[in-house]
Amino acid sequence: MISVAIAEDDYLVSQGIQTVLRRSDDIVVVGTATDPDGFEAVVADHHVDVAVLDVRMPPTHTTEGIALARRLRERDPGIGVVILSQHHDPEYALELLGDGSEGKAYLLKERLGDADELVSAIAEVHRGGSVLDPKIVDALLTARRRRANSRVAGLTPREMEVLGLMASGKGNSAIADALVISERAVEKHSNAIFGKLGLREADDLNRRVAAVLFFLQRTPD
């Protein structure tokens, strides 16, 4: 049996979660709370395998759930955490996963209509896996592509030509031949590309790979 505790300040949502989970033969709800302090008391009184937490709770209704998840994991790295949110903002998910994704899930509350999704997420984090809502994954990829577009947009036309040839797998010599310029000029353009893409610290091979990834994110086709 997986012992689960719930922190949710919306009464109807809390009741809905409990109803869903009590239908599962593999889950037992050992306690509920409406705020972080109340949840800490539940954890003190019961063994909890998985915490199901609203991302926003009293007193400030900002990111109490994520802060609570962090405290729980510091005390017990083995506890699974499922964050529930009605917000599509990927920054919340990034904050949750900032120190690793193992045993963590981030689901939108709109998924609660599908009982199997929540039950499956609880089972997955209990096993040490992770789950991200598909809409959050889409938002993260969109945000990443926008950042890539913003950086790549700062390249000159010649630098874009060099980066495009780099993405096709050509080395400096082949790029120089294709553009009818010297290898030294290719190196200068490459270093300028790495600098504008913020890749100064990596070794040369990793910088080339990272630069190509920026290019591919901007031009996925």
Side-chain angles (χ1 to χ4, degrees), residues 15 34 85 138 189 191 196 221:
Q15 289 297 309
T34 59
S85 174
D138 288 343
H189 289 310
N191 287 331
K196 290 179 180 180
D221 292 337

Side-chain angles (χ1 to χ4, degrees), residues 3-220:
S3 58
V4 174
I6 303 164
E8 170 60 66
D9 65 319
D10 185 309
Y11 175 79
L12 292 179
V13 173
S14 178
Q15 289 297 309
I17 294 171
Q18 292 176 64
T19 299
V20 166
L21 298 186
R22 283 170 176 154
R23 291 175 183 163
S24 171
D25 294 333
D26 301 319
I27 293 173
V28 57
V29 178
V30 297
T32 64
T34 59
D35 57 42
D37 288 343
F39 192 86
E40 298 270 17
V42 171
V43 173
D45 292 338
H46 302 275
H47 170 74
V48 176
D49 291 317
V50 176
V52 177
L53 312 174
D54 186 7
V55 70
R56 292 185 173 185
M57 287 184 284
T60 67
H61 292 279
T62 53
T63 56
E64 282 84 2
I66 294 174
L68 176 57
R70 190 173 293 117
R71 293 197 300 274
L72 293 171
R73 292 295 291 267
E74 286 174 354
R75 291 199 299 266
D76 180 6
I79 191 171
V81 174
V82 178
I83 292 289
L84 298 177
S85 174
Q86 61 185 9
H87 307 284
H88 291 211
D89 190 341
E91 293 303 321
Y92 288 141
L94 290 175
E95 187 174 350
L96 173 68
L97 304 176
D99 56 352
S101 61
E102 183 178 342
K104 297 177 183 177
Y106 190 100
L107 297 180
L108 295 176
K109 288 185 177 179
E110 62 192 58
R111 302 291 178 191
L112 295 180
D114 185 342
D116 290 339
E117 285 216 41
L118 180 57
V119 171
S120 295
I122 288 172
E124 184 63 27
V125 300
H126 182 54
R127 290 192 294 266
S130 61
V131 180
L132 266 183
D133 192 285
K135 288 189 177 181
I136 295 298
V137 174
D138 288 343
L140 286 169
L141 291 175
T142 298
R144 184 175 182 179
R145 186 169 292 118
R146 284 174 179 166
R147 288 194 295 270
N149 286 349
S150 177
R151 292 186 183 184
V152 173
L155 302 182
T156 66
R158 176 61 91 185
E159 289 164 356
M160 278 298 300
E161 287 181 312
V162 171
L163 181 55
L165 291 169
M166 194 184 296
S168 72
K170 296 184 185 305
N172 285 358
S173 177
I175 293 173
D177 290 342
L179 298 179
V180 194
I181 58 177
S182 68
E183 284 192 50
R184 183 174 178 80
V186 173
E187 290 176 3
K188 287 182 63 177
H189 289 310
S190 297
N191 287 331
I193 291 167
F194 298 150
K196 290 179 180 180
L197 297 183
L199 304 175
R200 296 182 181 87
E201 300 302 320
D203 62 65
D204 187 61
L205 175 60
N206 287 337
R207 286 195 300 176
R208 290 179 70 89
V209 171
V212 168
L213 289 175
F214 271 102
F215 181 81
L216 294 178
Q217 287 167 3
R218 181 177 185 270
T219 55

